[in-house]
Amino acid sequence: MFRTKSVEQSILDTEEPEHALKKSLSAVDLTVFGVGVIIGTGIFVLTGKVAKETAGPATALAFVAAGVVCALAALCYAEFASTVPVAGSAYTFAYTSLGELVAWIIGWDLVLEFALGTAVVAVGWSGYVRSLMENVDWTMPDALSGPDVAEGFGFDLLAFALVLVLTVVLVVGMKLSARVTSVVVAIKVGVVLMVIIAGLFFIKAENYEPFIPPAEQQPAGSGWDAPLVQLIFGYEPTNFGIMGIFTAASIVFFAFLGFDVVATAAEETKLPQRDMPRGILGSLIICTVLYVAVSIVVTGMQHYSELSVSAPLADAFKATGHPFYAGLISFGAAVGLTTVCMILLLGQTRVFFAMSRDGLLPRFFSRTHPRFRTPYRPTILLGVLIAVIAGFTSIEELATLVNIGTLFAFVIVALGVLGLRRTRPDLPRAFRTPWVPVLPIVSVAASVWLMLNLPVETWVRFGAWMTLGVIIYFVYGRSHSRMAGLGR
């Protein structure tokens, strides 16, 4: 259970012709991927909700706090990704440092995280597209608009079709994926910059008063809805005030999900030792700056108490008498969510591929396409499954599982840095996490604190999924692992 896979063996496995991925990505491609997946529903939706209900204009500080937590984890990811340039992200890192069982658990966790994330974003994309269609008097039947819209049978045709199309793009090749992402990210960032620049002309200083609204006690949670920290320590989070900023940070953290997906493409990067740290840290810095700027502009355009929760950016421009900008923002949101879906799906297939190549999942899924050199079998399997989930299921209540899954991965990677520094100090490290062991320990503490602020129900569901994963490991993975000399 605790056998580790050496870094040398991990890299050697990537050189087997039928199990090798094509190296085609640069630092720019990785940064674009990171920006493409981070800028999504968070910046277009969460800004208004958090400002109105939790932090007021100080939402900008909440984005900074959440960005700092991600930056701590990003520094740990950067060391691993440059030292072990192999597909699989946190799964691969854990295998080389903490052992097979921990690697399986985190891999199983990432499969859930990326699957739910892809499906949730696909459903959100469908909603934006239907809204744009309605602006030109096009409507879809309720039965094909998803279970949230239809009173009886509901199938979200748009979300289903989006995932299938992106599956084809990922099968054809990473370079095509990078080109598609570059175009879409350019549109998305352009829309965000438009919000910032145009919004500057409509800011009113009085809307920032007070910048940090007086603290208000949150309604007491109970049972499944209560945050775990409340049940354990009796701590009751507040809205607004100084502590409200940290409460808001645990919410807007969702807006940063995805930078870790960059690490899953390490094996397909031309110069991973140099480019992986640049891609991971570069995308995180760019997005944090954009998030802070957007939140400052939006709360300056409209008083935080009047902000829209569902579409704050677009509605803020409507409130100032500029519906044209609102339409552009809706278009940018719909286009932007396309890349979020694609990169989350990419991340999941790479983790699944790495686990199957190690024998923990059937080796059938570890063969790459003879022409495109992509893991086409897991891509097709997972793409179809997620398309069905997105089409038939209303899974907004499961979105918090994405948060807890990502934070759990952050904890494992930070601990892995400490473990590998102790067991393999001889390894060449193109990038070294600074201030070890203090920084990884702080990263673990910050991630655990945000996890504790999630509802008990989320912890129960997460525990059930992890329990199922452990059962599968002992029934199949442990005996078929290549490290056990079987399943070769």
Side-chain angles (χ1 to χ4, degrees):
M1 291 189 296
F2 300 104
R3 55 197 172 204
T4 58
K5 184 178 182 181
S6 70
V7 174
E8 292 79 7
Q9 183 61 49
S10 296
I11 296 175
L12 187 63
D13 286 346
T14 68
E15 299 172 358
E16 298 177 358
E18 61 183 8
H19 301 293
L21 298 173
K22 184 178 180 180
K23 298 182 181 296
S24 59
L25 300 179
S26 65
V28 174
D29 293 327
L30 294 172
T31 302
V32 169
F33 270 135
V35 173
V37 74
I38 296 172
I39 296 182
T41 51
I43 197 168
F44 291 113
V45 177
L46 285 181
T47 305
K49 177 179 176 61
V50 171
K52 186 171 185 176
E53 301 176 0
T54 312
T59 296
L61 300 180
F63 275 117
V64 172
V68 168
V69 175
C70 289
L72 294 173
L75 291 168
C76 298
Y77 269 91
E79 174 170 327
F80 259 126
S82 61
T83 306
V84 193
V86 178
S89 186
Y91 159 76
T92 298
F93 306 157
Y95 212 158
T96 60
S97 57
L98 300 175
E100 185 173 275
L101 178 59
V102 176
W104 165 266
I105 290 174
I106 196 61
W108 187 247
D109 162 61
L110 290 175
V111 167
L112 174 71
E113 172 197 338
F114 293 148
L116 289 181
T118 305
V120 169
V121 174
V123 173
W125 174 88
S126 173
Y128 273 109
V129 172
R130 289 198 306 272
S131 176
L132 288 171
M133 292 170 63
E134 290 169 359
N135 288 342
V136 293
D137 296 325
W138 291 357
T139 57
M140 293 186 65
D142 287 349
L144 297 179
S145 298
D148 284 338
V149 177
E151 294 182 1
F153 170 83
F155 177 74
D156 196 329
L157 179 62
L158 292 176
F160 177 82
L162 173 67
V163 177
L164 290 186
V165 170
L166 296 180
T167 298
V168 173
V169 172
L170 290 176
V171 167
V172 170
M174 279 293 288
K175 197 60 185 177
L176 173 61
S177 305
R179 289 170 180 165
V180 171
T181 302
S182 297
V183 173
V184 176
V185 168
I187 296 173
K188 182 161 55 175
V189 172
V191 169
V192 173
L193 292 175
M194 180 204 72
V195 171
I196 296 170
I197 296 172
L200 287 173
F201 294 96
F202 309 119
I203 288 177
K204 296 180 180 179
E206 58 265 28
N207 287 334
Y208 291 127
E209 298 177 1
F211 189 78
I212 303 179
E216 298 176 1
Q217 195 66 46
Q218 284 188 7
S222 61
W224 298 113
D225 295 331
L228 189 62
V229 67
Q230 180 176 328
L231 297 184
I232 296 177
F233 302 110
Y235 165 77
E236 296 185 5
T238 62
N239 290 331
F240 307 115
I242 298 297
M243 293 309 296
I245 295 173
F246 296 100
T247 302
S250 67
I251 299 173
V252 300
F253 177 80
F254 182 85
F256 287 91
L257 297 185
F259 82 84
D260 55 322
V261 177
V262 176
T264 66
E267 194 173 323
E268 294 157 278
T269 303
K270 295 175 184 176
L271 297 171
Q273 288 79 7
R274 182 196 69 185
D275 293 342
M276 287 306 300
R278 294 180 179 181
I280 292 172
L281 297 171
S283 60
L284 184 60
I285 292 170
I286 290 171
C287 292
T288 302
V289 171
L290 291 176
Y291 279 4
V292 171
V294 165
S295 60
I296 289 176
V297 168
V298 171
T299 53
M301 290 176 62
Q302 194 174 16
H303 194 268
Y304 72 89
S305 62
E306 300 173 354
L307 282 173
S308 162
V309 172
S310 59
L313 306 192
D315 289 349
F317 277 98
K318 286 181 182 178
T320 57
H322 295 83
F324 171 76
Y325 290 113
L328 282 181
I329 291 169
S330 296
F331 172 75
V335 172
L337 292 180
T338 305
T339 54
V340 180
C341 271
M342 183 172 71
I343 299 169
L344 286 173
L345 181 58
L346 179 150
Q348 188 194 39
T349 57
R350 270 45 180 183
V351 173
F352 200 93
F353 169 78
M355 294 171 74
S356 65
R357 188 166 57 186
D358 290 332
L360 299 179
L361 290 171
R363 291 268 288 169
F364 170 82
F365 295 107
S366 66
R367 294 185 182 277
T368 54
H369 193 282
R371 176 184 174 187
F372 303 125
R373 309 307 302 170
T374 56
Y376 68 107
R377 289 175 176 174
T379 300
I380 293 172
L381 170 68
L382 297 170
V384 171
L385 288 176
I386 295 172
V388 171
I389 293 172
F392 283 105
T393 311
S394 175
I395 53 176
E396 286 81 358
E397 69 277 6
L398 297 181
T400 50
L401 280 172
V402 182
N403 273 13
I404 196 170
T406 302
L407 288 165
F408 183 60
F410 287 2
V411 171
I412 295 299
V413 170
L415 293 176
V417 167
L418 296 176
L420 201 62
R421 285 284 188 97
R422 182 179 61 83
T423 58
R424 292 297 306 274
D426 58 303
L427 282 175
R429 291 170 168 82
F431 179 90
R432 297 178 68 88
T433 302
W435 308 310
V436 173
V438 175
L439 188 145
I441 293 174
V442 172
S443 178
V444 170
S447 297
V448 169
W449 173 251
L450 291 184
M451 291 173 72
L452 291 174
N453 277 276
L454 294 172
V456 174
E457 184 178 18
T458 300
W459 281 87
V460 172
R461 288 173 171 167
F462 182 67
W465 178 258
M466 290 294 102
T467 300
L468 176 62
V470 171
I471 292 172
I472 293 175
Y473 171 74
F474 282 106
V475 171
Y476 180 89
R478 186 165 179 256
S479 59
H480 288 78
S481 169
R482 296 184 73 197
M483 295 299 291
L486 300 175
R488 290 183 181 273

